[in-house]
Amino acid sequence: MDSMRTTGMVQELDTILRTSKRRDFLKLAAMGGMALFFPPVLTGCGSDVVTNPGDPEEFTMGSAAGPLNFVNAYAQLMLDFYSRMAGYSLYSPNSSFPISGMTQQERSLIGNLIDQKGGTFLSLSTLTPHNVRVSGSLLFHFETVDFTNRDSIMPLAATLEDLGVAAVNGLMTSSVKNSTDLALLAQIASNWARHAAMINDMNDIHANGVTGLRSSFVRTVNGQGLDAVTSASDALATIQPYFINTLSITGA
Amino acid sequence: MHASTLQASSTDVAAALTVALKFKYAQQAFYTQGYTTFNATSGTSSDKFTAAEDNAVKIIRDQETAQIAVLASAIGAGAPSAPAPSSYDWTGGSGAGNGPFDQSMISRGEFFKVAQILEDTGVRAIKGQIPALFATPELTTLVQIHSTEGRHAAMVRMLRSPGGPSYDTTPPWPGYGSFAIQEIIGWDIPGTPALSGQSQIDIMTLAYGPLTPAAHYGEDPPKSPGEDNLIQSSSFYANKYVNSTNDYTPPYAIAFDEPMDATRALTVAAFFGVS
């Protein structure tokens, strides 16, 4: 596998998913109130990847798994993106941030985002039936992004964070099939909203200083105090360039 | 048809939106009084907001005001009217005016502690009401208010870190276990003593879970997370890349904000005079 095309983080976590014993799956799923959402069909055993790495992926919004898979794919994109920002990969696990001009404080928080996007990915992967979940099949590329240049990478981080919130909001309002999945995505939506506010605030502080104007944390919120909502199709148009897989949405 | 796929009645919808509206009324009153007290140019306190704090508080206050109009309109004739500002108790004293946050309108540091409680609890309270609106036209509004609330909560937390967002002080998300409490009252547990029966820790424990949580995280076999769904959890990154332990303990819980039911959310809010 070409290390330029993946950091290996997603594949590494996917390996954990595929090789963990059932007991470990249950342990994973039991954390943070997640057992409530644990579907009885999941056993955590057997082969589970139905699509080969890099193959096209279809998100069927008419199914219960479709919206969860889309959020899962988005989380994997963000995990790969922040892993590149931090300079982590399977192939050079000890490398440090190639980006210049990031404080230690900021690096620490990007590490937290790697944790939390990975948490979303792993959680949704264990909660989605193994024969339909998006995991281990997604590959990413960021040829247009200069990971040594803060001015290249941080505006993109803000765009992807804000769009992720809007996309999850959109899936909550028009795609989820039951109130249980709605509650699950709500748990992710506000966590990602916190991430989005943080990245935007980092950009404000970088531009204006910590005591200067810091307004971007709500830059997607309208005059009624309502945050953005976007369809999965619209979100896909923005994020497709970073996927090697051709992604598609049906039944939106 | 499974019960969870049934559409809520209009009464249920109004009840869910009213929980959110009560938090919005309280937050709007809190930021209005706080802005009058601490604003950078004409604040009545000698303790003044920085330009960053001044601007952010003004933005949040105005968005609370706008959301009140949206929610009241969605609820319709049954919407409660705004409580008098004097009905709130920003000391956290349940109306007695001598609670453990008695400096909240004197010191802006204390002001932001209360802001953080109101915002974090607001996120959870609204989240707790979202499932009830499944398949209703009002769902979109509450979803939009919900992620705005997440942004407000993160910003208040970031304003409380003097050097900007920081993992070491008040990260934009609640930390796990006792960290969530220590992020507010400081790292010198047991913190401020009670002035009127309730300590800051007592209020925090309701809002964030117990100071010493049950150690069900990572236990084998795992205990039911139903013991306390407020507890946030641990870190993959720290184990893998800082401690080099190859322990793949994933950051499951911290990647998910927890919901709070209306009873508990309003119990927290009642310390500040919300009824």
Side-chain angles (χ1 to χ4, degrees):
Chain A
M1 197 173 295
D2 180 353
S3 65
M4 292 297 290
R5 303 172 106 206
T6 174
T7 61
M9 289 289 288
V10 169
Q11 283 69 29
E12 186 176 8
L13 292 179
D14 188 65
T15 300
I16 300 165
L17 283 170
R18 283 186 284 111
T19 57
S20 295
K21 291 173 293 190
R22 181 168 186 275
R23 193 193 65 183
D24 296 326
F25 267 106
L26 292 172
K27 186 191 293 185
L28 298 181
M31 281 175 254
M34 302 300 292
L36 187 63
F37 308 114
F38 201 77
V41 293
L42 178 61
T43 63
C45 306
S47 73
D48 44 10
V49 179
V50 295
T51 310
N52 292 318
D55 279 358
E57 276 289 353
E58 183 177 276
F59 300 92
T60 311
M61 292 303 169
S63 74
L68 302 186
N69 269 337
F70 191 82
V71 177
N72 190 334
Y74 210 114
Q76 291 182 49
L77 169 70
M78 299 309 288
L79 171 63
D80 192 82
F81 174 74
Y82 286 122
S83 299
R84 286 167 201 264
M85 191 190 285
Y88 300 134
S89 84
L90 276 181
Y91 313 100
S92 54
N94 297 316
S95 59
S96 58
F97 283 69
I99 188 172
S100 59
M102 288 199 82
T103 66
Q104 192 55 45
Q105 204 165 296
E106 289 175 323
R107 293 171 190 218
S108 169
L109 287 166
I110 296 298
N112 278 259
L113 292 189
I114 293 172
D115 276 359
Q116 295 181 27
K117 302 301 185 186
T120 310
F121 160 37
L122 285 171
S123 303
L124 290 178
S125 296
T126 55
L127 294 168
T128 310
H130 65 85
N131 59 335
V132 294
R133 72 179 166 84
V134 171
S135 193
S137 63
L138 299 176
L139 296 175
F140 309 91
H141 57 163
F142 288 89
E143 280 87 352
T144 57
V145 182
D146 178 358
F147 280 90
T148 65
N149 181 354
R150 185 188 177 113
D151 294 334
S152 170
I153 198 172
M154 285 298 281
L156 176 60
T159 297
L160 293 175
E161 287 290 357
D162 283 335
L163 183 65
V165 174
V168 174
N169 281 352
L171 294 166
M172 288 168 69
T173 57
S174 24
S175 301
V176 292
K177 296 296 176 287
N178 54 65
S179 60
T180 304
D181 288 350
L182 177 59
L184 174 62
L185 292 195
Q187 292 193 270
I188 296 167
S190 59
N191 180 253
W192 288 15
R194 292 172 186 269
H195 297 172
M198 184 186 86
I199 293 292
N200 279 305
D201 197 46
M202 284 179 175
N203 288 343
D204 277 354
I205 291 171
H206 188 66
N208 303 327
V210 74
T211 60
L213 290 188
R214 293 159 60 184
S215 308
S216 299
F217 70 108
V218 285
R219 67 176 184 162
T220 56
V221 177
N222 69 17
Q224 292 182 290
L226 305 177
D227 205 353
V229 176
T230 194
S231 69
S233 300
D234 286 349
L236 181 58
T238 300
I239 64 176
Q240 174 66 70
Y242 309 110
F243 286 85
I244 290 172
N245 315 62
T246 299
L247 308 181
S248 61
I249 290 172
T250 61
Chain B
M1 182 178 276
H2 188 277
S4 68
T5 61
L6 293 172
Q7 185 169 324
S9 73
S10 59
T11 309
D12 294 339
V13 169
L17 294 177
T18 299
V19 173
L21 180 59
K22 286 183 177 184
F23 270 84
K24 293 292 138 185
Y25 277 144
Q27 291 168 344
Q28 199 268 350
F30 175 74
Y31 290 117
T32 298
Q33 185 177 339
Y35 192 76
T36 302
T37 306
F38 301 114
N39 82 78
T41 50
S42 60
T44 54
S45 170
S46 58
D47 194 10
K48 298 280 197 293
F49 286 147
T50 64
E53 292 165 347
D54 189 284
N55 191 53
V57 169
K58 198 164 50 179
I59 289 171
I60 295 173
R61 178 200 64 191
D62 290 349
Q63 293 187 345
E64 310 294 6
T65 305
Q67 290 172 346
I68 285 169
V70 172
L71 284 168
S73 167
I75 296 168
S81 53
S86 59
S87 68
Y88 293 110
D89 179 359
W90 305 127
T91 73
S94 303
N98 63 345
F101 295 99
D102 64 330
Q103 304 295 302
S104 64
M105 288 296 167
I106 296 169
S107 149
R108 72 188 216 284
E110 292 294 301
F111 169 82
F112 281 115
K113 284 184 186 175
V114 174
Q116 182 173 328
I117 298 166
L118 293 175
E119 292 293 350
D120 280 343
T121 308
V123 172
R124 289 175 163 170
I126 295 168
K127 193 188 320 297
Q129 298 308 310
I130 282 178
L133 297 192
F134 177 70
T136 69
E138 292 83 2
L139 174 63
T140 301
T141 295
L142 200 60
V143 162
Q144 291 177 287
I145 289 173
H146 173 249
S147 64
T148 301
E149 192 83 342
R151 291 172 183 270
H152 290 179
M155 189 61 186
V156 166
R157 288 171 154 271
M158 294 188 286
L159 288 171
R160 293 190 63 228
S161 293
S166 169
Y167 176 70
D168 297 322
T169 51
T170 47
W173 43 79
Y176 68 93
S178 61
F179 285 3
I181 296 177
Q182 288 165 307
E183 282 158 13
I184 289 192
I185 62 176
W187 300 86
D188 52 347
I189 300 293
T192 310
L195 298 182
S196 67
Q198 292 290 350
S199 70
Q200 292 189 355
I201 291 177
D202 293 332
I203 297 175
M204 296 299 87
T205 299
L206 273 168
Y208 295 96
L211 188 60
T212 308
H216 58 72
Y217 174 76
E219 286 188 357
D220 186 15
K223 292 179 184 169
S224 165
E227 283 183 346
D228 194 328
N229 72 355
L230 298 173
I231 304 301
Q232 300 289 335
S233 198
S234 188
S235 170
F236 168 79
Y237 165 85
N239 285 327
K240 174 71 175 170
Y241 295 105
V242 178
N243 302 327
S244 301
T245 60
N246 274 328
D247 177 357
Y248 290 110
T249 307
Y252 266 45
I254 206 166
F256 294 81
D257 273 343
E258 302 299 338
M260 192 183 276
D261 65 42
T263 302
R264 184 157 181 167
L266 292 172
T267 301
V268 175
F271 286 116
F272 302 100
V274 176
S275 59

